[in-house]
Amino acid sequence: MNPLAPLHRLVWTALLAAAVAAGAWIVVPIGPVPVSLQPLFVFLAGYALGPRRGALCILLYILAGVIGLPVFAGGRSGPAQLLGPTGGYLLGFVLSAWITGLATGGHGRALTWVRGLGFGIPALIAAYVPGVFWLRHVLDTDWTRALALGLAPFLPWDCLKIVAAVACYRLLSRCRLLPGNGDAAPPGGGSCPRTG
């Protein structure tokens, strides 16, 4: 076993937590829940780190926001964000990373499109269920409005983010950059793109 493997995983955990935070700054404010790039990095954290480390990565991100770093959507921070309209989605992100992590176990294994998307769809549902439930509670509204505000505008884009996360994982795996063994190429072979 590579003696640097634990350090490699720790670096990847911090890197992906930072990527989730960066995704929170890339937003389109369309209502109480903005469109952001966060789900892409949440899914990727699970695929790359596995269920336990993926969930811990998202908890690290949430902790950073709770203690005051401006990492939540739109640069917000503080514990009050967990009680706001997007609080349920933050909890859902932890579940999402855990579910996508089940697809690979966090060992740099090859990930087929079918397996990646097969775990990505339930991960997306895991984000939406607590998100929409909590949004409905915070806004004190009916289910129709909660679904219109917290699900309908995001579903097509978030499905594309699952596809993008699987594509990123497959590229990172092919280039042997992932934590774990990182030496399994996806079916069909292929090589790491070269520059220069």
Side-chain angles (χ1 to χ4, degrees), residues 161-179:
K161 290 168 197 169
I162 293 170
V163 171
V166 173
C168 287
Y169 179 91
R170 287 168 57 89
L171 177 63
L172 291 167
S173 178
R174 197 162 52 235
C175 294
R176 298 180 182 175
L177 295 173
L178 292 168

Side-chain angles (χ1 to χ4, degrees), residues 145-159:
R145 184 160 184 261
L147 290 168
L149 291 173
L151 173 68
F154 308 101
L155 192 55
W157 303 111
D158 286 345
C159 288

Side-chain angles (χ1 to χ4, degrees), residues 9-146:
R9 288 187 181 97
L10 184 62
V11 168
W12 266 96
T13 301
L15 178 66
L16 285 164
V20 174
W25 281 81
I26 305 168
V27 297
V28 178
I30 61 169
V33 181
V35 174
S36 79
L37 281 184
Q38 282 179 296
L40 166 63
F41 299 113
V42 169
F43 302 139
L44 183 57
Y47 290 132
L49 299 171
R52 187 173 60 87
R53 288 184 183 275
L56 287 173
C57 172
I58 306 307
L59 287 171
L60 175 63
Y61 157 74
I62 293 171
L63 178 63
V66 167
I67 64 172
L69 297 177
V71 297
F72 293 140
R76 294 185 201 70
S77 65
Q81 296 304 309
L82 299 179
L83 303 176
T86 59
Y89 295 98
L90 293 172
L91 171 63
F93 285 167
V94 176
L95 299 172
S96 292
W98 184 79
I99 291 170
T100 55
L102 294 173
T104 64
H107 300 295
R109 293 183 186 136
L111 181 65
T112 64
W113 282 102
V114 171
R115 186 170 178 81
L117 299 177
F119 279 86
I121 298 302
L124 187 57
I125 293 168
Y128 281 133
V129 169
V132 173
F133 267 84
W134 185 249
L135 181 67
R136 179 179 181 264
H137 170 73
V138 169
L139 298 181
D140 192 24
T141 188
D142 58 39
W143 284 110
T144 303
R145 184 160 184 261

